[in-house]
Amino acid sequence: MTATAAPRHDWTLDEINALFALPFNDLLFKAQQIHRAHFDANAVQVSTLLSIKTGACPEDCKYCPQSGHYNTQLEKEKLLEIEKVVEQARAAKAAGASRFCMGAAWRSPRDKDLVQVEEMVRQVKALGLETCMTLGMVDGAQASRLASAGLDYYNHNLDTSPDYYGEIITTRTYSDRLETLATVREAGMKVCSGGILGMGEDAQDRSALLQQLARLSPHPESVPINMLVKVPGTPLENAEDLDPIEFIRAIGVARIMMPQSHVRLSAGREQMSESTQALAFLAGANSIFYGDKLLTTGNPQADRDRALFTKLGLHPEQRETCESTDSQATRLAQQAQQQRLNERAAELAVDAGV
Ligand code: SAM
Ligand code: DTB
Ligand code: SF4
């Protein structure tokens, strides 16, 4: 496979397992080559998260502090007021984030809540930030409303392999998740979908999760790889630690399989050494959550992340998408207009016998 081969959606488990089985240095070299063929290797996309509705969730996701099924001592909160969300978004932008991700502990949004949520999208977007939401399952009408409000990304994770899924969640199915992802794509939004490692799954499950993500066509633009945050009170509070090297391998394999996607080093960074994070960037991770909090659990302090970026020579990725394309289009239009004016002036000069 060449570094710039077209993205594939037909990865077999044997192929994926073979990538995982490569000598670590070979895997990272391959991942770096592919990474450099598609991205600025030192740019990292920076997103900030906010929980806009916290806790009391009817779903039973065994990893989640927000599930109403477990006692995690979490302070529940109703849907936040729009002004509070905008205030947080403004602070995230001032701190250097280019995308603002809003998460709600819902199985799916109620239509009456969507009115408020749409306004959040409009107002956050008006600040010049990209917008992302994760609100649970959505139907076609809800997805269209979010897309019309200007929502750029919808996050909905597959979380784990189809085989292991039933060990983690019983209140919604894997196909429910795939259906929401298809609905989001159909509505024209960008897709953010990934999973969680370290939930007691085996190596085969990690391969199968990546296989499912890569089967999505097009690939999700954003692929969050979360390391389980073990929250007391959840059934996974005592899950066995996943070897960080295995976690880095998964990032490298994701990079190779989904070469054009942003792979996000997501939850779990607070518990990770700087060296592990540096290896994750080397393996092709090029996005992070930035800010002192994820949804309900901790994330590295912003100044620690700034220091890490400086140490590693990384810089926040500029919003290259619409902004630069727009400004390029504006510049080209201005140049064309200037040329027409010059030509007209020359014609007039000839007519006037100058
Ligand atoms: N309720 C919505 C849903 O599940 O679709 C959106 C919010 S939910 C908290 C978003 C994602 O956060 C989950 O799909 C899961 O991948 C991730 N997550 C939740 N708790 C986590 C934990 N303890 N460690 C790592 N990731 C976690
Ligand atoms: C994702 O994949 N990880 C983020 C985001 N998408 C919404 C959430 C991580 C949550 C970690 C646990 C918490 O803070 O509640
Ligand atoms: Fe609810 Fe989402 Fe947590 Fe599952 S992951 S319990 S759906 S908030």
Side-chain angles (χ1 to χ4, degrees):
M1 187 179 65
T2 62
T4 50
R8 285 179 49 196
H9 303 278
D10 60 351
W11 291 91
T12 66
L13 279 178
D14 283 348
E15 285 177 306
I16 303 168
N17 292 338
L19 289 174
F20 270 101
L22 283 171
F24 190 68
N25 287 346
D26 291 352
L27 173 61
L28 260 60
F29 182 65
K30 204 179 182 70
Q32 252 303 302
Q33 281 180 308
I34 288 176
H35 190 61
R36 283 169 185 269
H38 294 94
F39 293 100
D40 170 349
N42 301 306
V44 175
Q45 192 283 323
V46 170
S47 294
T48 291
L49 260 177
L50 175 69
S51 179
I52 59 169
K53 187 268 166 185
T54 308
C57 183
E59 304 296 282
D60 69 352
C61 314
K62 284 202 173 82
Y63 49 76
C64 187
Q66 303 203 66
S67 167
H69 295 256
Y70 319 122
N71 183 6
T72 58
Q73 311 284 331
L74 183 72
E75 208 165 302
K76 304 171 188 68
E77 260 182 308
K78 292 207 185 86
L79 184 59
L80 291 184
E81 287 160 21
I82 296 165
E83 295 70 38
K84 286 209 173 125
V85 174
V86 175
E87 193 184 305
Q88 295 290 319
R90 205 174 276 123
K93 182 168 188 199
S98 62
R99 190 177 308 160
F100 195 64
C101 306
M102 295 157 267
W106 286 325
R107 171 176 167 82
S108 52
R110 292 180 303 185
D111 286 347
K112 70 175 185 140
D113 290 323
L114 221 52
V115 178
Q116 200 165 327
V117 162
E118 286 168 310
E119 193 50 31
M120 287 175 191
V121 173
R122 284 190 206 100
Q123 294 200 20
V124 171
K125 210 176 160 74
L127 299 175
L129 285 159
E130 289 183 314
T131 51
C132 176
M133 283 197 161
T134 179
L135 314 171
M137 296 186 282
V138 284
D139 63 26
Q142 293 175 323
S144 297
R145 283 176 62 178
L146 290 167
S148 304
L151 187 62
D152 298 301
Y153 289 80
Y154 195 84
N155 165 248
H156 197 64
N157 290 339
L158 290 180
D159 278 349
T160 190
S161 69
D163 280 354
Y164 196 61
Y165 185 84
E167 301 290 320
I168 302 294
I169 300 139
T170 69
T171 48
R172 66 160 80 120
T173 65
Y174 212 77
S175 15
D176 288 335
R177 289 187 184 252
L178 290 169
E179 206 172 302
T180 289
L181 291 174
T183 304
V184 165
R185 185 59 90 190
E186 244 165 64
M189 286 180 282
K190 292 183 195 151
V191 170
C192 171
S193 188
I196 311 178
L197 309 186
M199 297 196 293
E201 77 285 345
D202 62 22
Q204 203 61 17
D205 293 312
R206 289 189 281 279
S207 292
L209 165 66
L210 296 180
Q211 182 185 41
Q212 289 295 325
L213 291 169
R215 276 178 67 170
L216 301 171
S217 181
H219 289 156
E221 282 78 5
S222 172
V223 179
I225 306 288
N226 297 276
M227 180 73 109
L228 174 71
V229 179
K230 297 180 206 175
V231 180
T234 62
L236 292 179
E237 66 174 315
N238 295 317
E240 205 173 307
D241 278 339
L242 178 69
D243 183 341
I245 296 294
E246 209 40 41
F247 182 82
I248 300 300
R249 280 185 184 277
I251 290 195
V253 175
R255 164 53 60 230
I256 293 167
M257 292 173 65
M258 293 170 278
Q260 299 177 350
S261 306
H262 278 78
V263 174
R264 182 177 299 139
L265 173 59
S266 301
R269 284 198 307 117
E270 200 183 30
Q271 294 75 21
M272 241 172 242
S273 69
E274 286 195 338
S275 316
T276 300
Q277 294 184 59
L279 279 177
F281 296 128
L282 190 64
N286 60 346
S287 173
I288 57 162
F289 286 122
Y290 169 72
D292 307 349
K293 212 169 166 195
L294 292 164
L295 289 174
T296 67
T297 64
N299 198 41
Q301 301 286 315
D303 54 358
R304 266 185 57 198
D305 275 343
R306 281 195 292 270
L308 181 63
F309 271 39
T310 304
K311 203 187 273 191
L312 300 176
L314 298 173
H315 58 265
E317 182 186 273
Q318 298 302 312
R319 277 189 62 182
E320 87 303 280
T321 49
C322 18
E323 260 183 9
S324 68
T325 331
D326 285 356
S327 57
Q328 205 180 10
T330 310
R331 187 169 47 78
L332 291 174
Q334 282 168 345
Q335 279 172 357
Q337 195 186 14
Q338 189 59 50
Q339 195 176 341
R340 280 194 297 276
L341 286 173
N342 291 345
E343 283 165 6
R344 185 69 190 127
E347 281 165 18
L348 289 172
V350 169
D351 288 350
V354 182

